[in-house]
């Protein structure tokens, strides 16, 4: 394989040899552990360091202004999206202005996105807007609209179509998956419990096409609550 673009973290770049077009990266974590925040770190890095365009479909984050401010904060090393924190407003506005031509966000408010519309949106991001990276949070959103018997089949169809589109068009796909609740006495994911490949909601369908599968682990209540750990669960290459 060829070396690709770096990640924000040197070790992650070393383990993956960087990120390349036509590849899919899956991320899974417990509720509130930091999946979306991890994606934003990568988004900011791609825009700030690699000067490439990014398209986002963040289905659990309808406030686009907050999204822009939080990505700008990642670039500037500041917190722009939390109230009562002092910061340089002129610097924030300047960075947000730079994002206008590099960061494209889909406004999910009041919209009903099915599988075909999702694929059409990604195609538009890549072909019409020139996005080289797509961030989808979360890929298991369609399961909420299906009954238990149809959920697995719906997830299989979605992931197969996403894989086909990723191989057809030159973009890198980063997508988030929710996790099943930890059982058999295991520590909950929200308390730093280890993420396993079988924990991904949708089962094998969610992870089989991914080039890399990464678990994000953090104990929200522990002494180390400000540290997140990325656990590599699948590496198609090495």
């Amino acid at each position: 394989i060829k070396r690709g673009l770096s990640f924000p973290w040197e070790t992650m770049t070393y383990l993956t040899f960087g990120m390349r077009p036509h590849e899919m990266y899956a991320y899974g974590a417990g509720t509130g552990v930091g999946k979306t925040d991890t994606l934003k770190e990568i988004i900011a890095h791609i825009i700030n360091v690699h000067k490439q365009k990014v398209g986002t479909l963040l289905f659990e984050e309808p406030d686009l202004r907050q999204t822009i401010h939080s990505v700008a904060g990642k670039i500037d090393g500041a917190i722009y999206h939390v109230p009562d924190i002092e910061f340089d407003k002129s610097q924030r506005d300047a960075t947000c202005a730079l994002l206008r031509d590099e960061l494209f966000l889909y406004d999910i408010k009041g919209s009903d996105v099915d599988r075909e519309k999702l694929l059409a949106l990604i195609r538009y991001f890549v072909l019409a807007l020139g996005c080289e990276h797509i961030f989808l949070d979360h890929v298991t959103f369609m399961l909420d609209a299906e009954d238990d018997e149809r959920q697995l089949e719906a997830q299989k169809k979605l992931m197969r179509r996403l894989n086909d589109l990723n191989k057809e068009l030159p973009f890198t796909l980063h997508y988030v998956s929710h996790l099943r609740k930890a059982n058999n006495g295991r520590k909950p994911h929200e308390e730093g419990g280890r993420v396993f490949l079988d924990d991904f909601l949708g089962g094998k369908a969610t992870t089989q096409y991914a080039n890399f599968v990464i678990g994000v682990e953090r104990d929200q209540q522990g002494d180390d609550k400000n540290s997140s750990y990325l656990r590599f669960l699948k590496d198609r290459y090495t």
Side-chain angles (χ1 to χ4, degrees), residues 177-194:
S177 170
H178 284 178
L179 300 180
R180 299 189 184 100
K181 185 177 181 180
N183 52 25
N184 298 325
R186 289 165 49 199
K187 182 186 293 187
H189 298 119
E190 293 73 21
E191 296 179 16
R194 179 173 175 175

Side-chain angles (χ1 to χ4, degrees), residues 82-86:
V82 176
D84 304 324
I85 292 182
E86 294 185 3

Side-chain angles (χ1 to χ4, degrees), residues 12-198:
M12 191 163 175
T13 303
Y14 171 78
L15 292 173
T16 60
F17 298 98
M19 50 185 140
R20 290 156 292 273
H22 306 294
E23 290 189 347
M24 298 169 60
Y25 294 78
Y27 304 82
T31 301
V33 168
K35 300 181 295 294
T36 305
D37 195 65
T38 299
L39 293 190
K40 288 178 181 177
E41 289 277 3
I42 301 172
I43 291 169
H45 183 78
I46 289 171
I47 293 173
N48 188 44
V49 174
H50 300 301
K51 314 301 181 185
Q52 293 190 347
K53 294 181 179 180
V54 173
T56 67
L57 298 108
L58 308 179
F59 291 101
E60 294 186 336
E61 191 161 311
D63 188 343
L64 301 187
R65 181 182 176 88
Q66 176 176 313
T67 302
I68 294 169
H69 284 176
S70 56
V71 172
K74 298 290 187 187
I75 292 174
D76 292 340
I79 298 176
Y80 293 147
H81 64 289
V82 176
D84 304 324
I85 292 182
E86 294 185 3
F87 56 82
D88 185 339
K89 292 185 178 180
S90 62
Q91 179 61 54
R92 181 200 63 187
D93 294 344
T95 302
C96 288
L98 291 174
L99 291 176
R100 288 179 189 146
D101 296 326
E102 307 295 337
L103 177 62
F104 297 90
L105 306 99
Y106 177 68
D107 187 355
I108 68 169
K109 292 193 291 291
S111 66
D112 184 16
V113 180
D114 59 16
R115 181 169 59 242
E116 296 306 319
K117 184 173 182 178
L118 172 65
L119 295 167
L121 285 169
I122 294 175
R123 185 177 292 274
Y124 177 78
F125 273 132
V126 176
L127 295 181
L129 301 178
C131 295
E132 297 176 76
H133 304 266
I134 301 295
F135 287 78
L136 174 57
D137 183 6
H138 52 99
V139 77
T140 40
F141 76 101
M142 289 184 59
L143 298 186
D144 297 335
E146 303 286 353
D147 57 46
D148 291 341
E149 294 183 0
R150 298 176 60 187
Q151 281 188 353
L152 183 57
E153 187 60 31
Q155 189 69 357
K156 285 181 178 179
K157 290 180 179 179
L158 173 61
M159 297 310 304
R160 189 180 306 120
R161 295 288 299 279
L162 284 171
N163 177 68
D164 290 344
L165 189 61
N166 176 248
K167 299 305 175 280
E168 174 192 348
L169 301 179
F171 71 97
T172 307
L173 177 63
H174 300 260
Y175 66 91
V176 161
S177 170
H178 284 178
L179 300 180
R180 299 189 184 100
K181 185 177 181 180
N183 52 25
N184 298 325
R186 289 165 49 199
K187 182 186 293 187
H189 298 119
E190 293 73 21
E191 296 179 16
R194 179 173 175 175
V195 177
F196 291 84
L197 201 59
D198 288 341

Side-chain angles (χ1 to χ4, degrees), residues 1-15:
I1 62 174
K2 296 181 179 179
R3 289 193 176 273
L5 302 180
S6 67
F7 281 90
W9 309 285
E10 184 178 348
T11 301
M12 191 163 175
T13 303
Y14 171 78
L15 292 173

